């Protein structure tokens, strides 16, 4: 039997005669339907993306977290390696070197960019100069990025008064930034290495962790003396 919906001339004649019904029209897709189809497709795609984490187990989430931690740690590691390399490049001193007047410009004024220089003017036979040279030797090893130098005072600066010794000059980028002159400023033979380190830190020549003056305060000394005196007092009153 011939399909009445088939698109043929015979069926067209029969339709015109009313013998068979009109051919069923294919359903047209409207513009709204197209929009709805596109929107549903987008929703499906974005829904999959947003549900990527929701669908994962705790073990899978832990694995992702571990991967993120590893990435952060690796970035930190690379940054620390770069910092250590930079520090190693700057850590090229580590000792107190003796210089003459001829070396002064090269070693001090032309030391280089961002280089801190500590120069000690001294003379043999002055006990405080000897003490400071000992301290500077230890500090030079502790702070190898700082250039520590020493020079006999009159060799480096003609006619420099012995009364100004010891003298410490601090330079940065070839310019003097601080000077500590004479035994009074350097606190005499009671000076400790920690105090000298603090002084150099105050001049920014070294990156010290000593932020406060370690010298005992006069008030603390008096309080200790009075306390010890009171502890030793015995008035003999046994009430």
């Amino acid at each position: 039997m011939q399909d009445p919906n088939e698109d043929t001339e015979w069926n067209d004649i029969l339709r015109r005669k009313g013998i068979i019904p009109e051919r069923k029209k294919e359903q047209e897709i409207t513009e709204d339907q197209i929009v709805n189809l596109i929107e549903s497709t987008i929703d499906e795609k974005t829904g999959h993306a947003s549900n990527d984490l929701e669908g994962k187990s705790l073990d899978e989430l832990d694995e992702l977290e571990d991967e993120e931690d590893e990435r952060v740690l690796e970035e930190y590691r690379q940054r620390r390696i770069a910092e250590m390399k930079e520090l190693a490049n700057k850590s090229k001193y580590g000792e107190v070197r003796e210089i003459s007047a001829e070396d002064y410009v090269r070693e001090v004024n032309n030391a280089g960019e961002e280089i801190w220089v500590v120069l000690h003017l001294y003379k043999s036979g002055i006990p405080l100069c000897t003490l400071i040279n000992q301290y500077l030797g230890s500090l030079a090893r502790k702070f190898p990025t700082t250039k520590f130098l020493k020079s006999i005072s009159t060799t480096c600066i003609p006619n420099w008064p012995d009364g100004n010794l010891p003298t410490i000059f601090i330079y940065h980028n070839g310019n003097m930034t601080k000077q500590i002159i004479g035994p009074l400023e350097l606190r005499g033979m009671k000076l400790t290495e920690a105090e000298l380190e603090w002084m150099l830190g105050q001049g920014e020549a070294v990156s010290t962790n000593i932020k406060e003056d370690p010298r005992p305060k006069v008030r603390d000394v008096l309080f200790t003396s009075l306390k010890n005196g009171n502890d030793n007092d015995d008035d003999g009153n046994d009430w």
Side-chain angles (χ1 to χ4, degrees):
M1 181 177 181
Q2 187 172 355
D3 184 0
N5 291 319
E6 189 177 357
D7 190 13
T8 62
E9 290 187 23
W10 176 248
N11 282 344
D12 288 341
I13 294 172
L14 294 178
R15 290 189 192 100
R16 287 196 295 270
K17 299 293 186 180
I19 298 173
I20 61 176
E22 292 293 329
R23 180 173 176 269
K24 293 181 180 180
K25 294 183 179 180
E26 294 182 359
Q27 185 177 3
E28 295 182 358
I29 300 177
T30 64
E31 183 177 350
D32 289 339
Q33 288 175 318
I34 294 175
V35 171
N36 291 335
L37 180 62
I38 293 174
E39 289 179 349
S40 63
T41 303
I42 293 174
D43 289 340
E44 183 179 359
K45 295 292 184 182
T46 55
H48 284 314
S50 63
N51 291 330
D52 280 346
L53 294 180
E54 294 179 5
K56 291 188 179 298
S57 66
L58 290 177
D59 290 340
E60 290 172 326
L61 291 175
D62 287 341
E63 185 177 349
L64 285 175
E65 185 177 359
D66 291 341
E67 290 176 358
E68 180 66 16
D69 290 343
E70 288 178 4
R71 183 185 65 79
V72 173
L73 288 174
E74 180 61 22
E75 290 180 358
Y76 176 77
R77 177 174 173 273
Q78 294 299 327
R79 187 167 66 251
R80 286 292 296 137
I81 289 175
E83 291 173 354
M84 291 170 67
K85 285 182 178 179
E86 182 179 1
L87 180 61
N89 291 334
K90 292 181 178 179
S91 301
K92 53 187 177 182
Y93 303 113
E95 62 179 357
V96 183
R97 294 180 51 234
E98 184 92 24
I99 65 169
S100 64
E102 290 76 17
D103 303 322
Y104 189 90
V105 173
R106 182 182 72 253
E107 297 291 344
V108 177
N109 299 113
N110 297 332
E113 292 185 2
E114 300 304 320
I115 299 298
W116 288 93
V117 179
V118 175
L119 174 63
H120 177 213
L121 300 184
Y122 74 100
K123 261 191 178 179
S124 300
I126 299 179
L128 186 53
C129 289
T130 303
L131 182 66
I132 288 177
N133 275 333
Q134 292 175 358
Y135 290 161
L136 291 180
S138 175
L139 294 174
R141 291 187 294 273
K142 186 175 182 179
F143 302 102
T145 61
T146 299
K147 179 187 280 191
F148 286 85
L149 304 171
K150 63 181 180 179
S151 178
I152 296 175
S153 56
T154 51
T155 299
C156 190
I157 304 177
N159 302 318
W160 187 255
D162 289 354
N164 287 348
L165 300 179
T167 296
I168 292 179
F169 293 141
I170 297 176
Y171 294 83
H172 185 239
N173 291 330
N175 300 312
M176 184 184 295
T177 60
K178 186 178 179 64
Q179 54 186 10
I180 311 172
I181 299 175
L184 288 179
E185 289 193 26
L186 285 162
R187 303 182 176 182
M189 291 300 293
K190 291 185 178 180
L191 176 72
T192 65
E193 183 177 320
E195 289 176 56
L196 182 58
E197 179 179 332
W198 175 78
M199 291 180 189
L200 299 181
Q202 290 297 294
E204 301 184 19
V206 297
S207 299
T208 178
N209 292 324
I210 303 175
K211 304 303 181 184
E212 295 185 2
D213 188 349
R215 184 180 189 178
K217 306 295 186 294
V218 174
R219 180 180 177 183
D220 295 340
V221 173
L222 290 174
F223 177 79
T224 302
S225 300
L226 291 172
K227 182 177 183 299
N228 291 336
N230 290 333
D231 289 343
N232 294 329
D233 284 344
D234 186 2
D235 57 9
N237 291 328
D238 296 329
W239 294 100

